């Protein structure tokens, strides 16, 4: 499986600039754990509940996915 890119600083600045097809399978799988799919990522459908959820409302699996994508609780809640 491909590696997830290393994100420096605010991860939203990295991920927001990418289209779904710009991400590798590992990255897509992590976003899928957070409820995203290609249609929601490309704003063709509504975003998943996790996009508005506070860190404390995420499941442990969602925490792990978010952390692998470069988020901390502080960065997630600011987003």
């Amino acid at each position: 499986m491909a590696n997830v890119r290393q994100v420096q600083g605010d991860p939203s600045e990295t991920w927001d600039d990418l289209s779904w097809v710009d991400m590798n399978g590992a990255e897509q799988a992590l976003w899928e754990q957070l409820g995203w799919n290609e249609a929601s990522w490309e704003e063709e459908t509504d975003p998943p509940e996790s996009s508005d959820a506070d860190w404390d409302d995420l499941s442990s699996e969602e925490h792990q996915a978010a952390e692998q994508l470069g988020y901390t609780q502080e960065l997630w809640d600011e987003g």
Side-chain angles (χ1 to χ4, degrees):
M1 184 179 264
N3 290 331
V4 175
R5 70 192 77 213
Q6 294 298 305
V7 176
Q8 302 294 321
D10 182 355
S12 295
E13 292 179 10
T14 297
W15 300 114
D16 291 351
D17 289 341
L18 297 174
S19 68
W20 187 258
V21 296
D22 290 334
M23 291 186 261
N24 65 43
E27 293 164 343
Q28 290 174 352
L30 291 170
W31 283 111
E32 287 170 349
Q33 287 180 16
L34 290 162
W36 292 90
N37 58 36
E38 184 171 3
S40 58
W41 191 264
E42 301 299 341
E43 301 178 356
E44 296 166 5
T45 61
D46 290 335
E49 289 182 20
S50 69
S51 70
D52 289 327
D54 288 333
W55 184 265
D56 291 340
D57 295 329
L58 299 178
S59 70
S60 60
E61 291 83 11
E62 289 170 327
H63 283 155
Q64 288 178 346
E67 288 169 351
Q68 290 181 63
L69 292 164
Y71 288 93
T72 62
Q73 179 172 358
E74 182 180 356
L75 290 168
W76 183 268
D77 287 342
E78 285 176 1

